Amino acid sequence: MSVRAILGGLLLAATVPGTAAADDNASYRERLPQDEVIYFVLPDRFANGDPANDRGGLSGDRLTTGYDPTDSGFYHGGDLKGLTDKLPYIAGLGATAVWVGPIFKNKPVQGPKGQESAAYHGYWITDFTTVDPHFGTEDDFRRFVDAAHARGIKVYMDIVANHTADVIQYRECGACTYRSIADYPYQRRGGVNGAAINAGFAGDDVQTAANFVTLTRPDYAYTPFVPAAERDVKVPAWLNDPIYYHNRGDSTFAGESSTMGDFVGLDDVMTENPRVVAGMIEIYGSWIDRFGIDGFRIDTARHVNPEFWQAFVPAMLARAQAKGIPHFHIFGEVADPDVAALARHTRVDKLPSVLDFGFQRAVEETVAGNAGTDRFEALFAGDSLYEHGFATAVTLPTFTGNHDHGRLSTAVRKAFPDVSDDEVLKRVELANAMMLALRGVPAIYSGDEQGFVGDGGDRDAREDMFASKVASYNDNRLLGTDTTTATDHYGDTNPLFRQIAALSAVRRAQPALTRGVQKLRAAGDAPGLLAISRFDPETGREILLAFNTSAQPLAANVEVETGSTAFAPLAGAGCAAATTAPGSVRVSLAPFGYAFCAAEVGE
């Protein structure tokens, strides 16, 4: 029996008849989410196209403007004009979609005295309806989207519904601890023995307008207030009213506080309220209507109640469909490597997709660690847990590092401090090969292709692509180059850039690597061989993917389909030209080597 017959049910679920992976500009709207290669950028750190907007139109020192290019926690000057100018570079890498960090207007600076930092990252939003002046204008964003689309490149916006900037304060304290519903119910002021308030409010589980109209007092846990200078700073105007926030103090990121607590002091929006649901739908639907963007990455998605997403997602997909965007990609940030936890948000919250933190963990444990390749066996066995199973798993953006967690190259250096730079490079290349060939949508973090190696996560992993003035960036030892971040990095000579560009081309040319189902062939409880077959959804043609996570060369027989009789190399080295026996092929891999082997299908 052919592999197509064996896997027919999965193939049907994972494909859309009549739609083929394509790169031509005219058909970019028709590409499925799994056809893309995503490139993630924080605009402030990518390219400075207009130094006139570096201070966001503000005057004063860095605590007013947020601009200090020597400090990793402040604005450095990157903007939308710079991003537009560098689209040829992004296209040259082989990326087909750009995930852009939040561009909405932010509170420029916040934090306790002496610990201030700026909103260069974009996650401290005050005005959800327009572009932050540090990044440019709405016209600049429109020009970027139009220029990307002209090249057949999609644009994914990074959005936030969980919180706004830290504007609301509490009379009782500064950094306030979380106060639970049991100890501070909505119908009492300041605790179970407090004065009666909010008569008739049935709790946040009853998510109807009639119920929430009875919630008129926000001082059940703390006494929230908005400083006079910031009374009208949020847009739309309804966001300035504390009644639309939880006001229960800082989250512990566990239990009820996970969805109701302030995210490190940021104002936590009461997304249970129907007015908030309708307001957020209008906010983000407007960005689709005005700019024709192609998807959303949702920040802090796990910290929002499921009912919000159950209403929000269908509304966004409908707005996109009405705009002529049939494959609008929505993926949530659920920062948890546990597959069951990730899958829950596709089943309960009804998020179409989530960032694959499980994949990132498996790569880090095997390539930047000594775990066995059976980590991937466990990971992919969990694909059935996602809503719609593999058809959803194949749309999960996979990554090896990011702006929060840090870069894989950094993890390799920390795990193996005594190995050569050449070995670090080979390990990173192996991880890239996994990301670009295994199921999911590869999401490349800007700078990885230039060999950036940070000092850690968060701001330590947010280096400038243009010439940096941050000392802690410029003293880093990069991979594949003798340069430092003190010079700009938009070239195509770094071996990591060349590898990603080459593998991106292979991936885009092979439907098996974008849409094809997977079959585990080999894995073990120690570093060594991982072998997986993927299959063309139309022809059934097999591509064998073999990876060696060990520091020793290996040679092994790997099971393949009996109809796969001869193989041609697509990438890497180690493919045998023909099977040694029906259903068995020999692979020979160098330390940290990989091979993509495309089969010829026999009669």
Side-chain angles (χ1 to χ4, degrees):
M1 183 180 293
S2 72
V3 69
R4 189 175 183 185
I6 295 171
L7 302 176
L10 282 175
L11 290 171
L12 180 63
T15 61
V16 173
T19 308
D23 292 298
D24 57 292
N25 296 353
S27 64
Y28 76 93
R29 290 287 196 204
E30 299 306 315
R31 296 196 308 256
L32 297 180
Q34 54 265 44
D35 294 337
E36 311 303 339
V37 175
I38 302 171
Y39 188 69
F40 170 45
V41 300
L42 290 176
D44 179 66
R45 303 300 164 91
F46 190 66
N48 190 348
D50 184 6
N53 62 30
D54 288 355
R55 292 171 174 78
L58 303 170
S59 300
D61 64 11
R62 71 178 197 159
L63 296 184
T64 301
T65 67
Y67 178 68
D68 182 352
T70 69
D71 191 311
S72 64
F74 283 76
Y75 285 98
H76 291 176
D79 52 34
L80 290 167
K81 286 184 178 178
L83 185 53
T84 305
D85 291 342
K86 296 301 180 185
L87 278 170
Y89 168 83
I90 294 171
L93 184 64
T96 62
V98 181
W99 155 18
V100 184
I103 60 167
F104 314 101
K105 188 175 182 179
N106 272 229
K107 184 174 182 176
V109 178
Q110 66 180 44
K113 186 175 178 58
Q115 302 177 42
E116 300 93 344
S117 63
Y120 68 91
H121 43 68
Y123 295 106
W124 299 343
I125 304 169
T126 52
D127 187 342
F128 287 76
T129 68
T130 195
V131 172
D132 192 291
H134 289 88
F135 300 144
T137 66
E138 290 183 26
D139 283 342
D140 290 334
F141 184 58
R142 182 172 288 104
R143 280 190 285 269
F144 164 66
V145 174
D146 290 347
H149 285 168
R151 290 180 172 273
I153 295 174
K154 294 182 180 180
V155 176
Y156 299 155
M157 292 185 75
D158 201 321
I159 68 169
V160 187
N162 175 66
H163 58 264
T164 71
D166 183 13
V167 172
I168 296 172
Q169 307 299 311
Y170 302 133
R171 299 286 183 192
E172 292 81 359
C173 47
C176 299
T177 57
Y178 185 78
R179 288 182 169 178
S180 70
I181 295 173
D183 291 328
Y184 295 87
Y186 291 106
Q187 290 203 25
R188 292 292 184 271
R189 184 183 184 281
V192 293
N193 297 317
I197 58 173
N198 299 321
F201 184 62
D204 52 61
D205 284 340
V206 182
Q207 294 166 13
T208 64
N211 181 45
F212 272 87
V213 76
T214 65
L215 183 67
T216 60
R217 296 271 299 266
D219 55 345
Y220 34 81
Y222 290 106
T223 309
F225 72 97
V226 178
E230 297 182 297
R231 192 161 291 159
D232 300 313
V233 73
K234 294 181 184 177
V235 181
W238 60 267
L239 282 165
N240 292 299
D241 191 338
I243 200 66
Y244 296 119
Y245 299 83
H246 288 118
N247 304 307
R248 290 188 173 276
D250 282 353
S251 177
T252 65
F253 304 105
E256 75 176 48
S257 85
S258 181
T259 57
M260 295 190 178
D262 294 341
F263 195 97
V264 196
L266 299 170
D267 300 347
D268 197 70
V269 182
M270 186 176 274
T271 45
E272 297 83 1
N273 190 321
R275 175 68 184 88
V276 172
V277 177
M280 287 293 179
I281 286 173
E282 181 50 38
I283 285 168
Y284 289 118
S286 173
W287 287 91
I288 298 173
D289 294 344
R290 288 184 290 155
F291 299 99
I293 46 114
D294 306 282
F296 289 144
R297 178 267 191 182
I298 303 172
D299 180 68
T300 53
R302 67 184 298 190
H303 301 299
V304 175
N305 59 298
E307 298 85 355
F308 177 87
W309 300 126
Q310 292 164 12
F312 181 86
V313 167
M316 295 301 99
L317 295 177
R319 292 287 272 267
Q321 192 74 36
K323 186 71 174 177
I325 308 167
H327 304 301
F328 196 81
H329 195 191
I330 297 176
F331 51 100
E333 179 201 26
V334 177
D336 193 324
D338 181 71
V339 174
L342 293 169
R344 175 187 179 277
H345 291 274
T346 68
R347 287 189 173 271
V348 178
D349 300 27
K350 301 303 180 182
L351 290 172
S353 185
V354 292
L355 282 164
D356 196 350
F357 280 82
F359 178 88
Q360 188 280 330
R361 176 64 62 86
V363 170
E364 188 167 297
E365 289 180 339
T366 55
V367 179
N370 289 307
T373 54
D374 55 2
R375 290 288 194 276
F376 288 96
E377 180 177 12
L379 172 72
F380 295 134
D383 285 354
S384 60
L385 299 176
Y386 292 98
E387 185 80 352
H388 309 304
F390 184 82
T392 293
V394 79
T395 71
L396 306 180
T398 54
F399 63 101
T400 62
N402 64 19
H403 61 314
D404 291 327
H405 185 82
R407 301 183 187 276
L408 182 73
S409 55
T410 304
V412 172
R413 278 253 180 90
K414 289 184 176 180
F416 304 104
D418 299 325
V419 303
S420 67
D421 284 356
D422 183 62
E423 179 172 322
V424 176
L425 179 66
K426 284 184 169 58
R427 287 177 180 268
V428 172
E429 288 177 332
L430 175 62
N432 288 340
M434 291 174 166
M435 177 175 61
L436 283 153
L438 296 173
R439 72 99 181 99
V441 189
I444 301 155
Y445 178 38
S446 61
D448 280 354
E449 77 279 12
Q450 296 293 342
F452 284 12
V453 183
D455 294 321
D458 198 77
R459 64 178 66 172
D460 287 333
R462 299 172 182 178
E463 304 96 327
D464 304 305
M465 291 286 285
F466 50 96
S468 183
K469 298 180 181 179
V470 178
S472 63
Y473 295 164
N474 294 343
D475 65 4
N476 294 340
R477 195 169 81 253
L478 309 187
L479 298 177
T481 177
D482 293 329
T483 64
T484 73
T485 54
T487 62
D488 64 35
H489 284 81
Y490 304 110
D492 59 4
T493 59
N494 190 291
L496 290 167
F497 184 102
R498 295 200 306 269
Q499 184 215 17
I500 291 171
L503 294 186
S504 294
V506 171
R507 174 185 172 84
R508 298 193 313 274
Q510 299 293 336
L513 301 184
T514 57
R515 305 180 181 191
V517 295
Q518 293 190 158
K519 190 172 186 179
L520 181 72
R521 297 301 194 180
D525 60 4
L529 179 64
L530 171 69
I532 288 176
S533 290
R534 299 195 70 180
F535 301 93
D536 188 298
E538 294 297 327
T539 67
R541 183 193 191 199
E542 179 176 8
I543 296 180
L544 177 66
L545 307 169
F547 309 94
N548 180 11
T549 65
S550 78
Q552 304 300 321
L554 68 79
N557 295 319
V558 177
E559 181 186 2
V560 291
E561 299 300 305
T562 55
S564 300
T565 58
F567 289 86
L570 291 178
C575 302
T579 54
T580 52
S584 180
V585 69
R586 190 79 169 167
V587 295
S588 302
L589 300 175
F592 314 113
Y594 61 90
F596 301 177
C597 313
E600 296 178 5
V601 180
E603 295 297 327

